[in-house]
Amino acid sequence: MIRFLLSAVLVIPGISAAQQPVDFVRPMIGTARMGHTYPGATVPFGMVQLSPDTDTIPYEMNGQYNPDVYKFCAGYQYSDATITGFSHTHFSGTGHSDLGDFLIMPTTGPLQLNPGTAAHPESGYRSRFSHDRESAEAGYYKVMLDDYQVQAELTATNRVGLHRYTFPASDQSHIILDLTAGIYNYANKNVWTFVRVENDTLITGYRQTSGWARTRTLYFAMTFSKPFKKYGHRNDENNVYKGFYRKFDQTADFPEMAGRRITAWFDFDTKAGGQVQVKMALSPVSTEGALRNLQAEAPGWDFDAVRRKAREAWNGELSKVQVTALSDDDLINFYTALYHAYLGPTTYMDVDGAYRGLDQVNHRAEGYTNYTTFSLWDTYRALHPLFNILQPARNADMIRSMLAHYDQSVHKMLPVWSHHANENWCMIGYHSVSVIADAIMKGNIRGYDAMQALEACAQTARYKKYDGLEYYMKMGYVPEDKNSSSVSKTLEYAYDDWCIAQVAQKLGRKDLYDEFIARSRNYRNVFDPSTGFMRPRLSSGAFRPAFDVLSTHGQGYIEGNAWNYSLYVPQYPDDLIALGGGKKRFTAHLDSLFTMHLPDAFFAETEDITRDGIIGNYVHGNEPAHHAAYLYNWSGAPWKTQERVRMILEKMYKPAPDGLGGNDDCGQMSAWYLFSALGFYPVCPGSTEYALGSPAIKSAVIRLENGRTLTIEAPGQSRANVYVKTVTLNGRKLDRPAISHGEIMQGGKLVFQMTNRPSH
């Protein structure tokens, strides 16, 4: 088990002075049997996400996809016994990957420039390690590299990663900078790398890759706390053309390194207990920008001071929600979820606002922070709605970043899944629309023009070259024989169109309202009354004959089956219930979702789902049915929402290294936990209402950005008391199973009276 050593920074009511929110963070809680989160050093929403990588599994082998690489989406796999080094960029909880830039590894003894293998770590520079000598906390990581007896410590600012290596006595101490290393790596991923040795403590350079982001360039400035005595590099590529640089011996003490496969090394003499510190500053624009970032954020060599500031930054953010709970395990789950929620989106600009745009031109963010890492198919559901409560200013900046993406897009589309000045087009829908609509409808309009944002949403939704939209606009659905995952796309487009209609109505654009409210009802075009499920249709108009309601593959869905996806009409739950035969039949249908058995065969080939992420046929490990447990509120059985939510919280979230029942997906799984533990959830972002559930905390105090405070209390709370007898807001009984955004932001006291009996 990981050890966590933290002391108090702020005194918070309900938590003892010896235990603050950061004390309950467990950065290693990740996907069951998968390593999709990482135990690294970062600050909230930081550009640098510094973490150990535990293997070098390639994306392909013998020209074929290597399924083992999926376990290393975040670079770190808890079950591994070796560490290959510490790289500076990572994704948290994604089902695909990239990054892993600028891997640094300290070693001693004979110099080795390849990572070796997990079975024989001595064949390369990697090292064995033990979890007994590893600790992780918010903003800090420490591990003993057993093969070298080097203690590695990591911390970070927003744009700078700091390493502190404590060496044994050796005249063969090395720090390796591997520019070939990366996550989801393959032979041609590195387009180019470049390194300059500016002097005996300062190195600059860049790395250009073609991966998930196909034109990604990241610059760095790296500096050492003491001069190195010798340096050099190896370039593994074997070009026929050598150029006239061949007149030099470039392998040692040559200050310019260039090529596709550069691994550099720097030698030191060290005494027992001697330390070498390394600072690595990143920039999306230039090495000059990286140097400015370095000077602005980490000008000195006080590692412990930077560590304290990182911890204080985390404590400041986590302290916005002050929770008391039934157990420390519940506090660990809550604050780890909040930690995960604040890992991204990530800052993507220098301290002066400079960043590389989608058009590959340098821009400057004036008056806002430019962000990247938009996993929008996941995060529109709960993470961005959470930000509208806890981080509204940041969320407005994220929207400004999306609108800048739109302005720079040759397609004139808002982001779908974007990172590092690239659109990677992953997943479906155009869910920037949902994020923007949710903010506008909730009054979070800061620094951007709402009407211009509406026009960007409408233009995005009309780009007919995108993923079946031409057919959707013409036929009212996406035909499966023309475009795969057609049912999922039709349902998600219809929801996004509803979001556009709400904003159009609010802003007085009747033309856009009429256009998109009509499109928002297109979900009806894929409903098959003969089966009671949403079903793929062909371009002929007929439903596709072969149809399996349990299968995920080839049935018109993506990351879900008909049982889960047929519930996806969040904009019209009453109509969905009517299509399902009325409240009584719909309630029975929901009951079956949670209690039936889904045989292994139906998810055996699905990488990101294991039995751990499934309850009955409800797949919590993927997002399409995250709202499903709350639909009982509309079918007249809110007590069933209450018991299902509490069951999911207990089964899908545990304070362990493999404690999540699915990918965290850039914070969506964690945002679901946070909302549900607090007692309400945004079933339909773009609406101003949240469905009430069953809080899992005893009390919570939410410090809102507007200066007000919302207090949540759950008298009678216990493991058995999962039902809600009454809900009052500021002493007034709520006569509906919902609370509005305005009521939350006004602050006050929300009280759930808990009981062990359902209130029929």
Side-chain angles (χ1 to χ4, degrees), residues 606-682:
T606 303
E607 284 186 312
D608 51 352
I609 290 298
T610 63
R611 178 63 65 188
D612 308 73
I614 298 173
I615 299 172
N617 186 14
Y618 168 73
V619 184
H620 191 71
N622 270 330
E623 281 72 17
H626 268 193
H627 66 297
Y630 288 91
L631 292 177
Y632 288 109
N633 281 0
W634 282 268
S635 71
W639 64 91
K640 293 198 172 188
T641 282
Q642 295 156 19
E643 65 183 23
R644 299 299 187 208
V645 165
R646 290 290 287 272
M647 174 184 65
I648 295 167
L649 287 168
E650 289 286 335
K651 288 182 176 291
M652 295 288 108
Y653 301 86
K654 301 181 187 302
D658 60 350
L660 289 180
N663 302 345
D664 195 52
D665 281 316
C666 288
Q668 168 57 27
M669 281 279 284
S670 290
W672 190 97
Y673 180 95
L674 293 164
F675 268 122
S676 296
L678 291 171
F680 51 95
Y681 186 79

Side-chain angles (χ1 to χ4, degrees), residues 33 80 134 194 214 225 229 265 268 271 309 336 341 343 407 470 503 526 566 611 623 637 642 652 667 677 716 743:
R33 295 199 294 274
D80 283 349
E134 179 188 34
F194 179 73
R214 66 180 183 177
S225 61
K229 64 178 183 180
W265 49 269
F268 301 85
K271 298 178 180 179
K309 288 181 180 178
T336 298
L343 289 175
D407 289 339
E470 178 180 9
V503 176
V526 291
S566 293
R611 178 63 65 188
E623 281 72 17
Q642 295 156 19
M652 295 288 108
E743 289 169 331

Side-chain angles (χ1 to χ4, degrees), residues 15 35 100 175 177 195 235 253 262 286 298 324 354 356 414 421 448 455 470 527 561 564 596 617 621 673 686 754:
I15 299 175
I175 290 181
L177 172 62
V195 177
N235 185 0
D253 296 317
I262 297 293
S286 65
T324 62
R356 179 69 48 84
L414 290 160
Y448 64 92
E455 292 286 359
E470 178 180 9
F527 179 74
N561 61 19
N564 285 266
M596 68 188 292
N617 186 14
Y673 180 95
M754 307 304 294

Side-chain angles (χ1 to χ4, degrees), residues 337-355:
L338 195 54
Y339 169 87
H340 284 161
Y342 291 169
L343 289 175
T346 54
T347 302
Y348 191 65
M349 70 177 199
D350 291 340
V351 291
D352 63 357
Y355 70 95

